[in-house]
Amino acid sequence: MSLPPSSLKERLFAEARALGFTRMGVAHAEPLTVEADRLRAWLAAERHGVMTYMANSLAARVDPTLALDAPAGPGLLPSAVSVIVLAMPYARSSERVGPAPGRVARYARGRDYHNATGSRARTLAKWLRRQGHKSRATCDTMPIVERAWAERAGVGFIGKNCCLIVPGLGSHLVLATVLTSAALEPDAPQPERCGSCTLCLDACPTQAFVAPRELDGRRCISYLTIEESRPAPEPLRASIGDWLFGCDACQDVCPFNRTALPADDTTRPFAPDPRWEAHDAADVLRMDAATFATYAAGSPIQRAGRSGMARNAAIVLGNAGEKRHLPVLREAAERDEDEGVREAARWAVERLSAE
Ligand code: SF4
Ligand code: SF4
């Protein structure tokens, strides 16, 4: 026999807490009309750069009940009535991990969140199925605007830095969603609480914010170091600083991230991996495909690939301003198999030689 909606939601949240989720919320599954207009305008301005998948999946992105491909194709969950949003904080205990130069964004310092958080969301979806409800879980694996759903579900609010901020937890969070046919009572959205603060907008090294809550992805270091296959445009390279993969600058300055995280933070799967202590940007630039595969195993940095990370490493070394890196850069400029890496290394050599 199915549980009544109120006790189902209570039991569901208890299950989610037991799985390690710290905040949960529910929204009614319906088309995201306001968000759809914003997303369309953002795409029309080409702020998504090479992330064409954003445009290709727009229809499904703004309506979780729509089919992904053809009308007869598989939907995200055509019978979805509720969207459950789950948040799990990742470790932010240390300012820097690993020898300088070279810094990896905090979310990527532990196990890949697609597995670490996604497997827990899938367990919750299975639990719902055992209660007689259809369900489908995703953690950045389906076209869902997770932050928009998190805001609707009252989990937090979207700050001027475009991140989901959960008062009391901050924004260093991984989000997962479970779509379900269960009719759960929706939670009330939270108001935006940035007020007159502009710390994140001012802190962005590449001036990627066009306006509060509006990011030009093409200027963002996360995009330039992860999504883009070509080296960053020259005028932006110096601003990348020592970011090897991703960037935390607009989150690190946020007052909502001064809150202490739960005591078991470092025991979560996102605890920094020792590999970041062992290798700096020069090591990354030297890695061949096989060495990189071992180095990146189980980590989100796999997304950038060997060439992307080697190119990022060359830019980081160019910015570090240390002539001791000239030999490894010259070697890469002449011999690396990838033109993007060679080009970034040539730029770094010129930069260091001019100093
Ligand atoms: S992640 Fe870094 S580059 Fe991107 S918007 Fe934030 S501060 Fe700017
Ligand atoms: S730094 Fe300030 S403006 Fe930016 S998200 Fe945080 S509170 Fe909002």
Side-chain angles (χ1 to χ4, degrees):
M1 197 177 72
S2 300
L3 289 165
S6 56
S7 44
L8 176 67
K9 187 174 169 186
E10 223 170 89
R11 290 252 330 260
L12 175 83
F13 280 15
E15 293 288 327
R17 256 180 241 111
L19 286 165
F21 292 106
T22 312
R23 294 293 162 90
M24 291 74 73
V26 171
H28 182 60
E30 59 192 352
L32 297 167
T33 47
V34 177
E35 295 87 344
D37 287 346
R38 262 193 229 131
L39 198 50
R40 272 190 208 98
W42 187 76
L43 291 165
E46 298 186 352
R47 298 202 165 115
H48 59 302
V50 296
M51 297 184 286
T52 46
Y53 59 87
M54 300 280 290
N56 296 342
S57 57
L58 176 66
R61 228 167 249 285
V62 294
D63 185 348
T65 65
L66 268 190
L68 270 178
D69 304 309
L76 290 177
L77 186 63
S79 54
V81 173
S82 307
V83 180
I84 302 157
V85 182
L86 309 151
M88 184 180 275
Y90 53 79
R92 60 168 141 95
S93 41
S94 53
E95 183 52 40
R96 164 179 288 286
V97 175
R103 205 159 25 146
V104 171
R106 293 175 197 282
Y107 82 86
R109 293 175 186 173
R111 269 180 60 202
D112 191 330
Y113 64 92
H114 294 97
N115 305 324
T117 307
S119 63
R120 288 164 167 77
R122 287 192 291 278
T123 301
L124 198 64
K126 264 187 224 151
W127 182 86
L128 270 167
R129 287 198 287 276
R130 283 203 299 277
Q131 314 305 312
H133 305 284
K134 289 182 184 165
S135 63
R136 194 166 171 190
T138 172
C139 179
D140 201 19
T141 48
M142 291 200 295
I144 280 192
V145 196
E146 283 163 334
R147 276 171 298 174
W149 285 111
E151 195 170 45
R152 283 192 172 211
V155 174
F157 66 91
I158 298 177
K160 290 179 186 174
N161 61 3
C162 303
C163 295
L164 195 272
I165 296 175
V166 178
L169 272 188
S171 65
H172 294 110
L173 304 158
V174 177
L175 295 174
T177 50
V178 177
L179 304 176
T180 179
S181 59
L184 300 165
E185 192 191 338
D187 290 292
Q190 294 191 30
E192 202 246 69
R193 285 175 51 184
C194 286
S196 58
C197 176
T198 58
L199 286 170
C200 54
L201 310 183
D202 302 337
C204 177
T206 52
Q207 288 89 48
F209 292 106
V210 182
R213 291 175 61 132
E214 193 172 348
L215 183 72
D216 186 342
R218 296 165 300 182
R219 295 185 68 88
C220 175
I221 294 169
S222 290
Y223 167 87
L224 294 168
T225 56
I226 301 169
E227 304 291 340
E228 180 56 87
S229 57
R230 295 161 302 182
E234 277 205 46
L236 294 179
R237 289 184 197 169
S239 305
I240 290 175
D242 67 346
W243 287 110
L244 256 182
F245 183 92
C247 168
D248 286 318
C250 57
Q251 295 192 72
D252 284 352
V253 295
C254 180
F256 285 97
N257 281 329
R258 288 185 200 138
T259 322
L261 286 179
D264 59 353
D265 173 35
T266 51
T267 66
R268 292 182 190 282
F270 308 106
D273 192 286
R275 85 186 83 180
W276 310 122
E277 298 291 344
H279 301 286
D280 66 3
D283 293 335
V284 174
L285 184 54
R286 279 190 206 101
M287 286 177 186
D288 59 19
T291 314
F292 180 79
T294 307
Y295 169 70
S299 157
I301 69 163
Q302 281 175 319
R303 186 167 172 82
R306 201 289 311 179
S307 299
M309 286 298 285
R311 169 207 67 193
N312 298 344
I315 292 174
V316 164
L317 294 178
N319 289 334
E322 295 177 48
K323 291 199 190 293
R324 69 186 169 101
H325 294 131
L326 275 169
V328 66
L329 284 165
R330 286 199 179 108
E331 173 81 14
E334 283 167 23
R335 296 187 203 284
D336 197 280
E337 63 192 22
D338 183 88
E339 170 50 25
V341 178
R342 293 198 299 274
E343 205 270 300
R346 281 195 298 273
W347 171 84
V349 168
E350 273 172 38
R351 189 167 158 83
L352 292 184
S353 305
E355 281 171 1

